[in-house]
Amino acid sequence: MAPVIELAQRRSTFRLAFVSAVVSLVAAFVASAVPIPLYNTYRAEDRFTNADLSLTVVAYDLPTLAALLLMGRLSNHVGRRLTSVASLGLLLLGCLLLLNVHDIGILLAGRVLMGLGAGLASSNVTAYIVDSAPDRPAWLASVASSQTPMLGLALGAIGSGALVQVGPWPRQFVYLVAAALLLLSALLIVISPETVTPTPGAWRSLRPSVRIPARVRPLLPVAAAVFLATWATGAFYQAFVPVLVQDQLHTHSPLVLGLVFAAYMAPSAVGAPLGGWFTPATAQRIGMAAFLAGLIGIITAIVTGSLALFIAATIVAGASQGIAISSATRGLLHGSTVTDRAPIFSVIYLICYSAAAFPSLISGQLSNVFSLPQIALGYGGLTLVATVFTVLAARNPDTDRPLEG
C-alpha cells in the first residue's frame, strides 16, 4: 500500500504546483494587459501618439526576447519556483512604476520591466505548468501552457477596462489590483513543490542559446508560421485597437476597448481544446484556415465600419488561433523531457514575441503614412502567406526519431 499512498500524495502536491503555476501565468499576463485600456486616456490627457503606443509594444517585446535568450534555461539549474517568483517580482515593479504615467518615458520603462518579467515567465512558468500537469487529458499540458497567456491578457483587458471606467483613481487603481494579484501568485508558488532538481551551471545557462530537440525540429518552420501570423495580429490589436475603438467605433469607453481586445484573446482559450480532437498537423491546417477567414472579416469590418461584423470576425479569429497555436505547441512538446521544456518554450516565445515586436515596429512607423484599413490589409497578406505554407507543409511528430539533438 505504501507506494500507492506515496503516488497519491505526489499527485496531490503536483496538483497544487499545477494550479499555482497556471494562476501565476494568468497573473503575469493580466498585469501585462492592464495598461491597454488606459492608452486612450494617455492619448487624450498626455498627448501620446499612435506611434508612441506602437513603440510601447516594442518596449515590451524586445526585453521579453532578451529574457528568453538569456534566462530561458535558468530554471533547469535554480528551480522553477525561484524563477517564477522572480518573474512575478519584475512585473510587480512594472505595475508600481506605472502608477504615475504622464510621460512616454515612464510608460516605456514600465513596459520594459513587464517585458522582462513576461519573458522569464514565458519559458520557466510554462515549463512548471507542463512538469506538474496531470497525465489526462493528454492535451491539457499544451493547452494550459499555450493558452493561459491569452486568458490572462483577456482578463486583464476586461478587468482593467471596467475598473478604469467605474473604479476609483482610474489611472492608478488597476495597477494596485494587478500588484495584489501578483503578490498572491508569488505566495502560491512559495508553498508549492519544486518539480526539478537544481543542478550546477546557472551562470553558464545565461549565455544566449537556442536549442530544440532533433525529434521535433522539422515541425518548427510551420509552427513559426503559425506563431508569426497569430502573434503579429495580437500586437496589431494591442497597438491599434485604441484608435480603432475611438475613431472607427466612435466610443471613448475603456471598458469597450478592453472588451474588444478580449474578444480576440479570450476565444483562443476556448478554441484550443478543440485542437485535441485532431492530429497536430490537421489541427494547424484547420486553425489557420479559419484564422484567415476571421482576419478577412476583420479587414472587411474596418473598411465598412461594421461593429457587429468586427466583433464576430474577431471571435472567429481568436478561437481559431487557439486551435492553431495549441496544436503547434503540442507537436513541439511531443516526447519532451523535463530539461527540454524550458528551452523549447524559450524558442516558442522567441518566435512569438519577435512576431509581435517587429511587425508592430514597422506598422507603427507606417501609421504616419498609411490608413488603418491599409495597415490591416498588410497583416492580412502576412496571414495569407502563413496559412498557405501551413496547409502545404504541416506534419505530425516523427515518433521514430531520437529525442536528443
Side-chain angles (χ1 to χ4, degrees):
M1 292 294 292
V4 175
I5 294 173
E6 289 177 2
L7 179 60
Q9 290 174 338
R10 181 177 180 276
R11 286 177 176 171
S12 177
T13 56
F14 268 39
R15 192 176 300 119
L16 173 61
F18 178 72
V19 171
S20 299
V22 168
V23 169
S24 296
L25 198 60
V26 169
F29 284 92
V30 164
S32 297
V34 158
I36 294 171
L38 280 164
Y39 281 176
N40 276 344
T41 301
Y42 298 149
R43 274 163 42 103
E45 297 180 5
D46 301 308
R47 298 185 179 181
F48 292 177
T49 66
N50 292 338
D52 289 336
L53 297 181
S54 294
L55 192 58
T56 64
V57 178
V58 180
Y60 174 84
D61 289 334
L62 291 184
T64 303
L65 292 172
L68 288 165
L69 275 172
L70 297 173
M71 295 179 282
R73 298 171 295 153
L74 186 61
S75 66
N76 285 347
H77 301 280
V78 302
R80 307 289 196 222
R81 293 193 307 163
L82 181 59
T83 50
S84 297
V85 172
S87 68
L88 297 172
L90 287 167
L91 287 154
L92 175 60
L93 289 175
C95 287
L96 296 178
L97 184 60
L98 294 179
L99 285 171
N100 186 31
V101 175
H102 292 285
D103 179 84
I104 188 61
I106 297 296
L107 181 57
L108 293 177
R111 294 304 276 169
V112 166
L113 286 171
M114 287 183 165
L116 289 171
L120 192 56
S122 294
S123 58
N124 296 294
V125 180
T126 47
Y128 197 19
I129 289 174
V130 176
D131 289 351
S132 56
D135 295 333
R136 293 287 180 271
W139 47 260
L140 180 60
S142 64
V143 169
S145 57
S146 66
Q147 298 307 307
T148 298
M150 303 299 182
L151 178 61
L153 290 169
L155 292 175
I158 294 173
S160 176
L163 290 174
V164 169
Q165 186 158 322
V166 303
W169 321 310
R171 294 174 65 122
Q172 292 85 29
F173 188 60
V174 289
Y175 295 115
L176 295 174
V177 172
L181 181 58
L182 291 167
L183 286 172
L184 175 62
S185 301
L187 178 61
L188 286 173
I189 294 292
V190 168
I191 64 174
S192 297
E194 181 57 74
T195 56
V196 300
T197 301
T199 59
W203 286 110
R204 289 194 302 274
S205 75
L206 298 179
R207 289 180 298 185
S209 175
V210 176
R211 181 180 65 83
I212 196 164
R215 188 174 195 170
V216 295
R217 205 171 292 159
L219 307 180
L220 193 58
V222 170
V226 170
F227 300 146
L228 172 62
T230 54
W231 277 68
T233 304
F236 168 81
Y237 268 71
Q238 182 175 332
F240 293 102
V241 156
V243 66
L244 176 70
V245 167
Q246 181 171 310
D247 297 344
Q248 302 282 337
L249 306 183
H250 311 295
T251 177
H252 297 272
S253 168
L255 179 57
V256 171
L257 197 163
L259 287 171
V260 170
F261 183 74
Y264 179 73
M265 296 298 176
S268 182
V270 177
L274 300 178
W277 297 355
F278 308 97
T279 65
T282 300
Q284 287 174 84
R285 292 189 181 103
I286 293 171
M288 287 303 294
F291 183 76
L292 177 61
L295 201 56
I296 291 172
I298 290 167
I299 296 169
T300 303
I302 292 174
V303 172
T304 61
S306 172
L307 176 60
L309 176 59
F310 182 81
I311 296 298
T314 294
I315 292 172
V316 170
S320 55
Q321 77 159 349
I323 297 173
I325 292 173
S326 63
S327 300
T329 303
R330 176 158 55 104
L332 294 176
L333 287 174
H334 177 78
S336 64
T337 64
V338 170
T339 56
D340 285 333
R341 289 164 190 162
I344 287 174
F345 279 114
S346 293
V347 172
I348 289 173
Y349 282 106
L350 276 170
I351 297 169
C352 291
Y353 284 108
S354 296
F358 295 110
S360 182
L361 180 62
I362 295 169
S363 61
Q365 297 303 311
L366 293 178
S367 66
N368 297 317
V369 180
F370 295 99
S371 67
L372 184 60
Q374 290 173 322
I375 291 173
L377 194 61
Y379 281 89
L382 179 66
T383 299
L384 174 62
V385 173
T387 301
V388 171
F389 180 66
T390 301
V391 169
L392 295 176
R395 57 190 294 182
N396 292 311
D398 186 350
T399 58
D400 296 326
R401 295 190 62 173
L403 285 171
E404 281 71 18

